[in-house]
Amino acid sequence: MTGTVILCLAMGSMIWLDRTYAFQFMISRPLVIASLLGFIMNDLNLGLVIGACLELLWLNAPPVGAYLPYDGSFCAAVAVPVGAAAAMHMDVLPAAGLSLVLCLPASFAGQRLDLHLRRLNERLDPRKAGRAVRYALARAFVYAFVAMCLYAIPACLVAGTLGTILPFSMVRVFSVLPFICTVIGLAALFSSETKMLPQTIIFGAGMACVPLLTWIF
C-alpha cells in the first residue's frame, strides 16, 4: 500500500505541473487527475467520485494569468490515496466523503505552493532560458511531491484509523457528502451565471441540513 501511495503521489506531482507550468493538456483538471490516480490505486470508481465532486467545485475557477484560485488539482492528487486508505474499511461513497473532508484544506496548500514557486522563478536568470526552464520544472516537481507526501501520508493514516472506528451513523453521513459537493458545485455554477446570491445561500443552507437529517433519521 505504501509503495502504491508514493507512486500515486509522484504521478500526481507530475500531472500537477500541467496546471500552470508545463504541457497544458488539461490533464490536471480534478476529474482527469483523480481518475488517473484512482486507476493507479486500483480503485477507479473512487477516483471518478472524488474527481467529479472537485471538478464541479472548481469548474468556474481556472488559473488564468496572475489569478490563482484554490488548487483543485493538488487537492485531487492527495484526496485519491487518502480515499483509498479509507476504502480499505468502508464503501466507496463514505470513503470519498471522508477523503473530501480531510483533503479540501489541501487546495489552500496547493495555492500557497504555486505562489511560492512563482516568487522563486522570478529570481532565475533570463539569459539562460533553457537551463532556467528545466530547473524551474524540476524544482516544481520536487516541491509538489514533498508537499503532497507531507499532507497525504498523515491523512492516509487518519483516514485508515477513522475507517475502523467510525460508527455506522457517521459512515452514513460521509456517504452523503459526495452528493452534497456535487450539488453545491452545480449551484455555484448556476449562481455564477444568474447572479442569484440569495437563492444560492438558501440552497446551500438547505443542502447543509442533509447530513444532519441523515444522521438523525
Side-chain angles (χ1 to χ4, degrees), residues 41-93:
M41 296 298 299
N42 199 30
D43 199 337
L44 182 58
N45 290 338
L46 176 71
L48 288 170
V49 172
I50 292 175
C53 295
L54 296 178
E55 182 70 30
L56 286 171
L57 289 176
W58 273 281
L59 190 61
N60 257 11
V64 179
Y67 171 65
L68 281 178
Y70 291 149
D71 196 334
S73 303
F74 190 96
C75 181
V78 299
V80 172
V82 173
M88 297 176 65
H89 309 287
M90 57 179 66
D91 293 334
V92 168
L93 283 179

Side-chain angles (χ1 to χ4, degrees), residues 100-177:
L100 290 170
V101 170
L102 293 175
C103 295
L104 278 175
S107 61
F108 176 75
Q111 181 198 46
R112 303 307 300 176
L113 172 65
D114 205 341
L115 287 171
H116 179 64
L117 287 171
R118 291 191 179 203
R119 294 190 186 102
L120 291 178
N121 290 340
E122 292 175 357
R123 305 173 187 173
L124 295 175
D125 189 352
R127 295 171 296 180
K128 302 176 180 178
R131 181 179 179 182
V133 168
R134 291 191 297 270
Y135 179 76
L137 289 176
R139 180 171 58 189
F141 170 77
V142 172
Y143 274 48
F145 177 67
V146 171
M148 288 182 185
C149 288
L150 291 175
Y151 193 101
I153 292 176
C156 284
L157 297 176
V158 172
T161 303
L162 290 178
T164 61
I165 65 175
L166 284 176
F168 179 71
S169 58
M170 286 301 299
V171 173
R172 289 180 60 196
V173 171
F174 283 117
S175 68
V176 178
L177 288 179

Side-chain angles (χ1 to χ4, degrees), residues 187-201:
L189 180 64
F190 178 72
S191 66
S192 67
E193 297 295 334
T194 59
K195 307 303 180 183
M196 296 190 300
L197 182 60
Q199 291 87 334
T200 303
I201 294 174

Side-chain angles (χ1 to χ4, degrees), residues 9-43:
L9 295 174
M11 183 62 67
S13 303
M14 180 66 69
I15 299 175
W16 179 79
L17 297 177
D18 174 79
R19 186 170 184 262
T20 56
Y21 289 92
F23 313 132
Q24 302 294 296
F25 294 147
M26 301 299 287
I27 58 174
S28 61
R29 294 300 305 173
L31 180 59
V32 181
I33 188 174
S35 300
L36 292 174
L37 299 184
F39 179 77
I40 293 175
M41 296 298 299
N42 199 30
D43 199 337

